[in-house]
Amino acid sequence: MGSYSTVYQRSLSAPEGFWLDAAGMVDWDEAPTRALDDTRVPFYRWFPDGVLNTCFNALDRHVRDGHGEQTALIWDSAMTGMVARWTYRELLERVAVFAGALREQGVDKGDRVVIYMPMIPEAVIAMLACARIGAVHSVVFGGFAPKELAARIDDAHPSLIVAASCGLEPNRVVEYKPIVDEALRLSSHQPKAVVVLQRDRHQAELGARDVDWNAATARAEPADCLPVRATDPLYILYTSGTTGRPKGVVRDNGGHAVSLCWSLANVYGIGPGEVFWTASDVGWVVGHSYIVYAPLLSGATTVMYEGKPVGTPDAGAFWRVVADHRVKALFTAPTAFRAIKRMDPDARKLAEHDTSSLQTLFLAGERLDPETHKWAVDTLGVPVIDHWWQTETGWPVCANLRGLEPMPVKAGSPTVPVPGYDLAVLDTSGRPLPPGQDGALCIRLPLPPGTLPTLWGDDERFRESYLSQYPGYYATGDNGYIDSDGYVFVMGRNDDVINVAGHRLSTGSMEAVLAAHPAVAECAVIGVYDTLKGQVPRGFVVLKSGVEIDRATLRDELVAAVREQIGPVAAFRDVDVVDGLPKTRSGKILRKPMREIADRGDTTVPSTIEDPEVLDRLRPTLRADHPGS
Ligand code: COA
Ligand code: AMP
């Protein structure tokens, strides 16, 4: 390990100089003189005296520097058959006008704007327009139901909502406007207005507080960039935690811009003018960072794809997009490749397209199983790079840094810690574990720039959720180990968060839905192995005594309730009625052993942990996981 080792060591031993140097990749209105502010530990802030505008860095500076005619965004919609290209100049013009429209709607610096939109360029325009005037956007993924949207509205208190009339799924048109209306009926907070972009496929009915996007922009004056402090919030992105209440991950302006510019060059090896395609959704962190901000901040060309990897029209959908737009690097979740492999195991569709531009495939968002890794390598013949990170960090924690020093790949490992991240594996009492031993993956504080400074409006929850268990460290929620070569292996979550087709979900929120059914006495939801989605949720319910209900009816009601209250993205389809749930003596449900039994295909779940046969089956796990039980 040559340059990686030098750069990594410097990032930890001299972070001040390291990050001030990296800050040179960004245009500042007032350049920072200090990198780290540690006056309010454990709430660290980066570039405390820096002033900048993120939208200026993503658009205006490229136009100023003579790159206005370069393509900034390619929108490719397999759902409509449309392709549109936007130069930096065109995108800037549209963003400045929409920023003016936001101002006319009364949106000021620091106000929140909830964006509930599918994969269309207007979602990017709305995000950048917020950044331009110092407003804070909060994008909500379209697969969430009204109740989840309402929970985010009630936490963020937006002064405005920006929505589209519909999203397009292969099997249906998803009408967004009724979802927004229902969310606003459920929420206590009420925004001043809802701006609605009407799509051709479905026109929404507008009510008294709704404003048509075109009408709002037709009368708006373009707005200039408002310089903000590096530490001011750029966005809030809600993610699933252990409980049903989503966590509002806050992202600042300065650290975010610096870390994304640094990572696109050093991790992904992408420079100005190169084509980068992240096949995810703007509603997730992967979309925020690598569809929108990193490519545009770096002057690259980003591809925004509306569609699925398969069936749109066939298993060659991804290869067609790579070929049509001469994509240099593709980033997606392993589940997308499992879907392609399932439909076209011999990759016959690949031969129909010229994918010679593709140099690297990056995969993240969930565990990359060795079989999928091997298939992708054999099929594409390019390096397939697993990397590990999460909504909270905003950019990779572990990666094989293709722009800095490519390293040999070890299947099952996202390679090494990225500069800035001081990674440790800790045992339950917080002691560092030697190489090869599995424990909690933690990052020594301070976290690097671009990571979450806190949770929206809730410093205490931030401290309690991430910093209290291992003082001096941030707990990632993942378990894993580091081998003797320094390669990191991520083995899975150590909490009740599950990952379904690369989508992060809380089993706690699904349990709350099941528990509310009048026939259910208690319940548990666990994530079980799935060959396509990696994990899917599976519910177990115990009926109230004396309740007579047809099991198929109950199942249908519970599945419908989860879909209605959390959303189709939960992919909740399996529920079993059981006599009891296995628990510790203190009454805690033993989810991990349940998961193991369910993964083995058993349909019955043992009722109590006192059952000697069950204890026998579970003893090894119990000893490792619950030393006291
Ligand atoms: N708006 C409304 N509904 C949505 C939605 C959206 N933005 N996104 C998904 N849904 C719905 C789907 O239509 C589906 O509904 P259904 O039950 O009526 O069929 C449900 O939510 C589950 O969607 P999904 O998890 O996407 O499953 P799928 O079977 O439609 O597709 C994959 C499976 C693997 C092809 C798909 O998940 C995929 O392409 N994943 C790529 C990975 C990715 O984007 N990860 C994000 C983080 S990197
Ligand atoms: P999200 O916040 O939605 O990005 O989900 C983050 C979680 O996804 C992590 O905490 C991990 O559990 C999982 N994850 C992401 N990338 C990987 C990876 N490369 N390998 C294993 N798990 C991953």
Side-chain angles (χ1 to χ4, degrees), residues 141-143 169 172 280 308-309 333 335 501-503 533 563 568-569 573:
F141 178 63
E169 288 293 298
R172 67 193 190 286
S280 174
K308 303 269 171 176
T335 189
H503 309 317
K533 299 195 175 193
R563 191 176 171 98
V569 68
R573 292 197 179 90

Side-chain angles (χ1 to χ4, degrees), residues 365-367 386-391 478 490 493 499 504:
E366 54 166 335
R367 182 175 166 267
D386 182 13
H387 58 313
W388 168 63
W389 51 294
Q390 48 187 203
T391 307
D478 281 302
V490 180
R493 298 285 305 192
N499 206 307
R504 177 166 156 182

Side-chain angles (χ1 to χ4, degrees), residues 247-262:
K247 293 171 169 169
V249 168
V250 174
R251 194 80 59 214
D252 67 10
N253 276 275
H256 175 251
V258 172
S259 60
L260 290 191
C261 285
W262 193 91

Side-chain angles (χ1 to χ4, degrees), residues 292-603:
V292 184
Y293 285 110
L296 298 179
L297 286 165
S298 309
T301 297
T302 187
V303 179
M304 182 183 207
Y305 173 71
E306 185 185 39
K308 303 269 171 176
V310 293
T312 46
D314 54 34
F318 270 26
W319 320 138
R320 198 265 309 154
V321 175
V322 167
D324 282 0
H325 308 306
R326 305 303 295 156
V327 169
K328 181 180 176 193
L330 163 62
F331 173 7
T332 190
T335 189
F337 268 71
R338 287 196 295 269
I340 299 170
K341 174 171 163 248
R342 177 183 278 197
M343 192 178 243
D344 183 17
D346 301 322
R348 288 181 205 279
K349 288 282 161 195
L350 185 65
E352 294 175 11
H353 305 275
D354 171 11
T355 56
S356 57
S357 61
L358 190 71
Q359 293 186 10
T360 320
L361 169 66
F362 292 94
L363 296 172
E366 54 166 335
R367 182 175 166 267
L368 172 56
D369 54 288
E371 209 185 305
T372 305
H373 189 187
K374 185 174 179 319
W375 187 82
V377 171
D378 294 348
T379 303
L380 291 173
V382 300
V384 175
I385 305 300
D386 182 13
H387 58 313
W388 168 63
W389 51 294
Q390 48 187 203
T391 307
E392 290 86 343
T393 66
W395 61 292
V397 180
C398 283
N400 195 319
L401 290 99
R402 308 306 291 173
L404 182 63
E405 184 193 355
M407 291 178 190
V409 169
K410 284 195 193 187
S413 168
T415 315
V416 290
V418 169
Y421 290 98
D422 192 355
L423 194 70
V425 182
L426 304 181
D427 69 11
T428 45
S429 51
R431 278 187 298 266
L433 286 164
Q437 281 198 32
D438 191 271
L441 287 169
C442 296
I443 304 164
R444 192 191 297 275
L445 297 175
L447 293 171
T451 55
L452 82 172
T454 190
L455 293 176
W456 180 252
D458 205 342
D459 281 354
E460 204 33 57
R461 190 175 181 204
F462 169 64
R463 191 203 300 262
E464 187 203 305
S465 312
Y466 302 105
L467 311 178
S468 61
Q469 201 182 348
Y470 303 101
Y473 291 89
Y474 163 87
T476 63
D478 281 302
N479 263 23
Y481 66 91
I482 303 179
D483 76 5
S484 50
D485 295 329
Y487 277 61
V488 178
F489 289 78
V490 180
M491 306 308 288
R493 298 285 305 192
N494 52 33
D495 57 14
D496 299 327
V497 167
I498 58 169
N499 206 307
V500 180
H503 309 317
R504 177 166 156 182
L505 297 162
S506 153
T507 54
S509 61
M510 294 185 223
E511 285 174 4
V513 176
L514 303 191
H517 191 284
V520 172
E522 34 170 20
C523 63
V525 174
I526 56 174
V528 297
Y529 174 70
D530 182 80
T531 50
L532 174 64
K533 299 195 175 193
Q535 270 187 317
V536 286
R538 180 162 166 195
F540 297 93
V541 296
V542 179
L543 296 185
K544 284 180 183 158
S545 68
V547 166
E548 294 285 328
I549 184 165
D550 171 62
R551 292 189 174 200
T553 307
L554 175 67
R555 184 195 155 279
D556 290 350
E557 286 176 7
L558 293 173
V559 167
V562 172
R563 191 176 171 98
E564 250 163 51
Q565 294 183 45
I566 296 175
V569 68
F572 182 81
R573 292 197 179 90
D574 285 332
V575 202
D576 287 308
V577 177
V578 293
D579 296 337
L581 298 169
K583 292 182 188 157
T584 60
R585 286 192 184 85
S586 62
K588 206 172 155 231
I589 295 173
L590 288 160
R591 287 186 173 73
K592 186 166 177 190
M594 282 176 71
R595 208 158 52 220
E596 283 166 2
I597 292 169
D599 276 347
R600 282 203 302 266
D602 291 7
T603 47

Side-chain angles (χ1 to χ4, degrees), residues 67 70-71 88 270-276 295 298-302 326 328:
H67 307 299
Q70 188 205 304
T71 305
Y88 271 97
I270 293 291
E274 295 184 319
V275 183
F276 189 57
S298 309
T301 297
T302 187
R326 305 303 295 156
K328 181 180 176 193

Side-chain angles (χ1 to χ4, degrees), residues 197-245:
L197 185 275
Q198 300 279 22
R199 299 189 74 183
D200 292 344
R201 286 288 286 277
H202 169 77
Q203 303 276 310
E205 226 173 85
L206 301 190
R209 82 171 132 192
D210 303 328
V211 182
D212 175 74
W213 172 293
N214 290 334
T217 50
R219 57 174 183 255
E221 285 295 314
D224 277 341
C225 293
L226 181 79
V228 298
R229 282 181 309 215
T231 52
D232 282 340
L234 169 70
Y235 71 73
I236 308 165
L237 180 56
Y238 287 88
T239 190
S240 302
T242 297
T243 67
R245 196 159 66 92

Side-chain angles (χ1 to χ4, degrees), residues 161-177:
I161 295 183
V162 182
S165 56
C166 67
L168 303 174
E169 288 293 298
N171 53 359
R172 67 193 190 286
V173 172
V174 183
E175 293 182 26
Y176 276 32
K177 186 61 191 358

